[in-house]
Amino acid sequence: MTFTSPLYFLFWPAAFLVFYFSRDKYRWLVLLLASLAFYAALKAPSLLIALTGVTVLTYFSGRGVAAAMSPGRKTLVFWLGVTANLAILIGFRYFAVLIEGLNVLSGAIGGGRHVFAAVDPISIGVSYYSFQAISYLVDVYLDVEKPEKHFGYFALYISFFPRLLQGPIERAGDFLPQLRQPYVFCYENVRSGLLLFAWGLFKKVVISDRLALFVNEVYGNVHAFSGLPLIIATYFYAFQIYCDFSGYTDMALGTGRIFNFKLTQNFDNPYRATSIAMFWRRWHISFSRWILDYIFKPLQFRFRYWRDWGTALALVITFLACGVWHGATAGFVIWGLLHGLYMSCSVLYRGLGKRFRRKKRNPTALIDAWRVIATFHLVCLAWIFFRARSLADAFYVINYAMVGLPSSLVRLAKRDSLVHDIYLNQSNKEFFLAVACLGLLAVLARATTAHEAAVRAFRQWAPVWLRWSAYLGFVLAVVVFGVFYGGAFIYFQF
Amino acid sequence: MKRLVVKFVLFVTLAAGMLLAVSSVCGNLRTRVLKDRVFVFSEGTTTLIAGDSHPQAAVNPALLPGAESICEGQEGYFFTYHKLKYFLGRNPQIARVILGFSYQNLARRYQELFLSSEQEATRLLESYFVLLDDEGVELLRDRISNKRPYYVNLLKFRYGLPIQIYRDKDLLREALGAALRREDVTFFGGGFHKSEKSSVEGKQMDAKVRLYFQDEKETYSGVSTLMVEYLKRIIQLCEEHGVDLTLYNAPLHASFKSRIPGQAITDFAQVRDQLLARFPKLHYVDHVDESLPNESFGDGDHVNSLGAAVVTGRLARLIQLSH
Amino acid sequence: MSTMEKLAEIIRTVFDDDSVEIGSQTTAHDVDGWDSLSHINLILALESGFNIKFSQKELLTFKNVGDMHDSINAKIALRGDGVGKA
């Protein structure tokens, strides 16, 4: 099951009740069983095998690394553990690609016949918890963390259901200590967790899936569009993927909070970043911290004598890996490469700029606004490769978004093509709703502190009936404005 | 904790109650709108024109006494059957139905597209949900691997849940007390297609013929037994209601007809003859080869309103004669 | 000058900020411009300034200036009198 399936709304209250009424000693077991059931509900037994594999291998590797006598042995066990995890990850994620590769080989040898049947295995979650397991191993290897001796706690660390399917990727130091604290029922946690979950649901079902209607129409058949609609669809996609993934994250964090767990936040207003580097500190934070700590830093250290060029190279490799993690197709690789190039350029530029700029001038509001817009557009350019069905489609979009723009503006002025170019072949009501949603997001994203203060004030001072009317209104809004089919979570496929 | 459980249960109950109340209002509105307004014709309406875009373009109800057109583009017999069942049930005054019957109505690939395309099936399920009977819904539902559209439409149309209600112009109009128009109801169909544009072009016709009659392997895809089955059901339905049924083959441009695979024409003739033999009360009017100037054709396989004026007149005289 | 003073001076030079206070609890957050991209410049400056070499493992575990200070001192001690602490 997923967070938006009706079954989930029966699952977590049941899990919570059992959790609450269990003895503290066994609470971890309840959560572990619930997590396994949650994963099993996807009806893909191979996934459970992957989860078990990762859990068992990493648990024993962790203890092996800590117990190793010599540094050589330590390193060996460490790399064995990491390799095993990577093997599981690659096996599951790129199985289809491997089969395709084998087919190509066998075809060449066997005279053009495909020996292996094409496989499309489901691999939800593997990318996330295998990375989490690797981070645990590194932390143990570096003596940052002690290995977890309690197998049950460790298994729960890997499989905790709120973050099982799409992260966030938790560090051992953040999560394991929380397991050791005795559970004390906290009403405020449950309530704020529920509200957070509801907001995530709204973002996903009302905003993201609605934007998807437009994006799918255009990106499903790019050659039917030219100019303005390509631009609109790309902007919509930027927000679709943000609402989709941050909506999921809110649902995950909210659910975790109900059980008194604090999971790491994955997003922090990413489109308000003033540079690509800042963007990556705000987008999919748990993942970018992972690639920063475990791929970039070691590489940067290795290349340090090449100074800025070494850093640049480390960045390109890191983001290439980031692209490949998302998928083995050219689109994702180029997306990663683009971000790597963006980051490298900013590093090289910064080094250069240092020599010419003596004083640090405080940026004005105008410069800041320009930076935000520029960064957003750089990110959107990369999203084109991420979303387009093929490289050819991506290049078409980039080309014709510019080339076709003047004529689409002309058409617009003549009011000839409102439905096709602006509403992207959807009902105009849907378009206005989509814009309204984006407006809502903009309002809520401004000055987060003011927003939080307002929400807190509302909760404290508004009378009960007003609060409850707002909550009921919210439920009604989700029912009326929700887009209920066509909406698988985007980040499931990674 | 007790406080939490109490509040939680209370909230869920309130929310459920609210949704139930809203649903019953919306459901009521929808039923009233459909039963009393949209699906009920005036006493003077005695003839229904049904089918896909061919009769939609060719038969102008204004030129036939007491006629209304409920045609919709791309509508196969599977859907027309359910539509007619619904309408004939609520309008006992209907005495005649003119049903489009042409070569593409039996073409397997074109008519059964919705059975192999999940997107098409979902779209049609959504559009026709109210009209389909249980068997029809099941047929569509089984073609879709993702069952969600079925459940969502069930909640929406059968139980009145206000999902995406802002899309239903008819309900909003009704609620606001404005005058209701049949065209506002999405699945009803646009009725007669009025247009004097003319563009008969070779490449377009080739593409259309390919779309109708050829499958992926570029060979003639044969006759759709499912559509023949539903056509028979339409005939039987009309017999049950004591309604006079005329199968109408609308005009095609000569160069379009010449592009149709010969086998398709033979198969069509075979089906037609079988039906006429089995159902003696069935009428068949063939205007396929009616000579009309190029300007009377909207495109290769549809007349425009100029052509419709001519053939509807001829059709009207034929009907008068048969009485 | 002591290790800490030299360390502080190098930090101030690398990040071009003469006013910032450096103590053993200082982290990257406290100094403007000190992020993961420019961190490496500091490491290089420290390596050349103290004539030492950091290891990959150490680099990944430094949490604040105090950690760096301890590591530098340990390396100096190792080099200085030939007797190392295990």
Side-chain angles (χ1 to χ4, degrees), chain A residues 4-5 12 16 20 185 187 190 210 429-430 433 468 471-472 475-476 479-485, chain B residues 1 3-4 7-8 10-11 14-15 18-19 122 126 148-149 152-153 161-167 169:
Chain A
T4 51
S5 60
W12 73 256
F16 182 71
Y20 179 79
F185 176 76
Y187 177 74
V190 177
R210 170 159 282 106
K429 297 203 191 79
E430 293 292 0
L433 266 178
W468 278 52
Y471 300 152
L472 287 173
V475 170
L476 191 60
V479 170
V480 172
F481 296 110
V483 175
F484 292 105
Y485 36 89
Chain B
M1 170 67 172
R3 185 168 146 229
L4 173 73
K7 277 199 173 181
F8 188 75
L10 187 61
F11 182 79
L14 275 178
M18 169 191 75
L19 285 178
T122 309
E126 195 178 76
R148 240 192 222 195
V152 172
N153 283 304
L161 223 67
I163 298 173
Q164 294 187 336
I165 199 171
Y166 54 86
R167 282 212 194 180
K169 282 192 277 190

Side-chain angles (χ1 to χ4, degrees), chain A residues 61-73:
Chain A
S61 303
R63 296 195 65 173
V65 165
M69 284 294 115
S70 65
R73 196 179 150 75

Side-chain angles (χ1 to χ4, degrees), chain B residues 130-181:
Chain B
V130 187
L131 298 176
L132 297 174
D133 61 10
D134 290 331
E135 191 197 340
V137 171
E138 258 175 51
L139 183 79
L140 273 182
R141 185 192 63 194
D142 291 338
R143 295 289 164 172
I144 310 174
S145 59
N146 172 19
K147 303 289 181 219
R148 240 192 222 195
Y150 165 71
Y151 289 115
V152 172
N153 283 304
L154 188 71
L155 287 172
K156 185 173 176 184
F157 290 112
R158 228 155 271 164
Y159 298 107
L161 223 67
I163 298 173
Q164 294 187 336
I165 199 171
Y166 54 86
R167 282 212 194 180
D168 296 331
K169 282 192 277 190
D170 50 349
L171 288 188
L172 294 176
R173 278 196 136 91
E174 177 71 14
L176 297 171
L180 185 73
R181 294 180 312 169

Side-chain angles (χ1 to χ4, degrees), chain A residues 124-363:
Chain A
I124 300 178
V126 186
S127 314
Y128 296 91
Y129 55 75
S130 63
F131 262 34
Q132 184 167 308
I134 294 177
S135 88
Y136 166 80
L137 278 178
V138 175
D139 284 348
V140 170
Y141 178 65
L142 294 178
D143 290 323
V144 172
E145 291 297 327
K146 286 224 175 11
E148 178 58 63
K149 294 232 168 63
H150 190 307
F151 185 74
Y153 283 2
F154 183 76
L156 186 57
Y157 165 62
I158 298 289
S159 63
F160 189 40
F161 74 89
R163 42 138 297 280
L164 181 60
L165 300 181
Q166 278 189 77
I169 301 176
E170 288 297 323
R171 296 296 172 91
D174 294 330
F175 188 80
L176 286 171
Q178 296 188 58
L179 283 177
R180 298 205 139 76
Q181 284 168 356
Y183 175 75
V184 175
F185 176 76
C186 176
Y187 177 74
E188 189 49 39
N189 270 356
V190 177
R191 181 216 219 172
S192 68
L194 281 174
L195 287 177
L196 189 58
F197 183 89
W199 171 236
L201 185 67
F202 184 87
K203 272 199 279 199
K204 165 66 179 157
V205 165
V206 175
I207 305 183
S208 169
D209 285 350
R210 170 159 282 106
L211 292 173
L213 295 173
F214 297 88
V215 174
N216 292 344
E217 176 72 20
V218 172
Y219 275 88
N221 183 14
V222 288
H223 294 278
F225 297 90
S226 149
L228 205 51
L230 294 175
I231 298 179
I232 294 179
T234 307
Y235 285 161
F236 274 10
Y237 183 68
F239 289 102
Q240 175 196 339
I241 192 169
Y242 169 66
C243 286
D244 185 291
F245 203 15
S246 74
Y248 163 86
T249 301
D250 284 346
M251 287 196 258
L253 261 60
T255 311
R257 202 183 286 182
I258 291 175
F259 292 90
N260 269 8
F261 284 95
K262 189 162 166 10
L263 300 176
T264 50
Q265 177 55 266
N266 251 347
F267 291 92
D268 175 19
N269 283 318
Y271 292 136
R272 299 183 67 207
T274 50
S275 70
I276 297 285
M278 195 192 265
F279 173 78
W280 281 102
R281 284 199 280 274
R282 294 169 171 230
W283 177 274
H284 202 175
I285 297 174
S286 65
F287 177 74
S288 58
R289 261 184 30 188
W290 196 100
I291 57 175
L292 179 79
D293 284 346
Y294 304 128
I295 303 183
F296 173 69
K297 280 199 178 141
L299 281 178
Q300 187 196 35
F301 186 72
R302 201 153 293 242
F303 298 148
R304 66 191 184 284
Y305 296 117
W306 297 341
R307 303 206 140 249
D308 281 347
W309 292 95
T311 303
L313 182 61
L315 283 169
V316 169
I317 296 179
T318 303
F319 280 96
L320 260 179
C322 172
V324 173
W325 180 89
H326 283 81
T329 67
F332 293 122
V333 171
I334 297 206
W335 171 80
L337 189 61
L338 267 178
H339 276 280
L341 288 173
Y342 291 157
M343 295 280 278
S344 312
C345 286
S346 81
V347 162
L348 294 171
Y349 169 73
R350 206 196 330 191
L352 227 76
K354 259 252 175 81
R355 267 179 244 158
F356 293 108
R357 266 180 297 133
R358 281 294 133 203
K359 276 188 301 178
K360 271 186 269 204
R361 252 173 287 122
N362 275 331

Side-chain angles (χ1 to χ4, degrees), chain A residues 74 141-144 277 281 292-293 296-298 300-302 304-305 307-308 311 315 343 347 350 354 358 360, chain C residues 14-17 32-33 35-41 43-45 47 53-61 63:
Chain A
K74 212 169 160 145
Y141 178 65
L142 294 178
D143 290 323
V144 172
R281 284 199 280 274
L292 179 79
D293 284 346
F296 173 69
K297 280 199 178 141
Q300 187 196 35
F301 186 72
R302 201 153 293 242
R304 66 191 184 284
Y305 296 117
R307 303 206 140 249
D308 281 347
T311 303
L315 283 169
M343 295 280 278
V347 162
R350 206 196 330 191
K354 259 252 175 81
R358 281 294 133 203
K360 271 186 269 204
Chain C
V14 169
F15 298 114
D16 206 13
D17 189 349
D32 209 16
D35 57 25
S36 40
L37 296 175
S38 53
H39 182 67
I40 200 72
N41 295 334
I43 297 299
L44 285 167
E47 282 187 331
K53 262 198 171 22
F54 290 111
S55 78
Q56 178 105 271
K57 206 164 155 167
E58 284 178 305
L59 195 70
L60 291 174
T61 56
K63 284 207 200 25

